[in-house]
């Protein structure tokens, strides 16, 4: 994008524009090839940050919608996110110190390390989240 943000389209032409553009599960399944093996490590950090900012109830959104109305409709999106972070860590261990502003926690500033701890803590106590509608 011209504003310096990074985004991926899940599939063309249906998922190329609008709120259905960025899908977490698909993004993180393809993360290693798209960002790490291609040498786009900094862009990968931005993608990790965008999704981490939308952490809610121990889950990472499956549908990002620019962070405005994220959907948490895939229980495994968070585990693909965690896999991507692990793969990223092998190349860039400092990724765990990445600053993240949590949108659903009153814009609380944390590190990616703390996001991971929140995910693990929430899952250890059980996920009881059900999306509206």
């Amino acid at each position: 994008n011209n504003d310096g943000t990074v985004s991926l389209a899940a599939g063309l032409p249906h998922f190329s524009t609008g709120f259905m553009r960025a899908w977490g599960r698909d993004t993180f399944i393809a993360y290693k090839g798209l960002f790490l093996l291609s040498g786009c490590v900094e862009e990968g950090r931005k993608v990790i940050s965008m999704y981490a900012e939308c952490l809610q109830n121990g889950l990472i959104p499956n549908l990002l919608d620019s962070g405005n109305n994220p959907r948490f409709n895939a229980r495994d999106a968070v585990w693909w996110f965690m896999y991507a972070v692990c793969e990223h860590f092998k190349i860039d261990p400092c990724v765990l110190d990445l600053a993240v502003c949590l949108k659903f926690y009153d814009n609380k500033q944390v590190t990616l390390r703390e996001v991971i701890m929140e995910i693990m803590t929430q899952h250890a106590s059980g996920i009881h989240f059900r999306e509206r509608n």
Side-chain angles (χ1 to χ4, degrees):
N1 293 346
N2 293 335
D3 64 2
T5 60
V6 176
S7 110
L8 301 171
L12 299 173
H14 304 292
F15 301 119
S16 61
T17 61
F19 77 97
M20 292 186 71
R21 178 179 174 86
W23 291 84
R25 185 176 188 274
D26 296 349
T27 295
F28 295 113
I29 287 171
Y31 185 88
K32 185 175 180 179
L34 290 173
F35 295 107
L36 304 180
L37 297 178
S38 66
C40 298
V41 176
E42 187 57 38
E43 291 85 351
R45 285 173 69 100
K46 290 178 183 179
V47 169
I48 286 173
S49 177
M50 286 187 305
Y51 279 89
E53 286 177 355
C54 292
L55 174 73
Q56 188 176 32
N57 301 302
L59 299 171
I60 294 296
N62 184 42
L63 179 58
L64 191 57
D65 188 16
S66 301
N68 298 320
N69 189 28
R71 298 277 317 273
F72 299 88
N73 58 350
R75 294 293 179 163
D76 63 343
V78 69
W79 300 115
W80 285 109
F81 169 84
M82 295 283 276
Y83 174 75
V85 170
C86 288
E87 291 299 307
H88 192 109
F89 176 82
K90 292 175 186 176
I91 293 171
D92 175 23
C94 294
V95 71
L96 296 182
D97 298 322
L98 181 65
V100 176
C101 180
L102 299 176
K103 293 178 184 235
F104 299 108
Y105 293 80
D106 295 324
N107 293 317
K108 180 180 176 183
Q109 292 284 333
V110 299
T111 64
L112 184 58
R113 179 180 282 109
E114 292 169 293
V115 169
I116 292 168
M117 288 303 299
E118 177 68 13
I119 290 168
M120 298 306 289
T121 300
Q122 289 282 335
H123 280 80
S125 63
I127 300 296
H128 303 286
F129 174 76
R130 176 174 270 171
E131 194 174 57
R132 271 185 317 149
N133 300 324

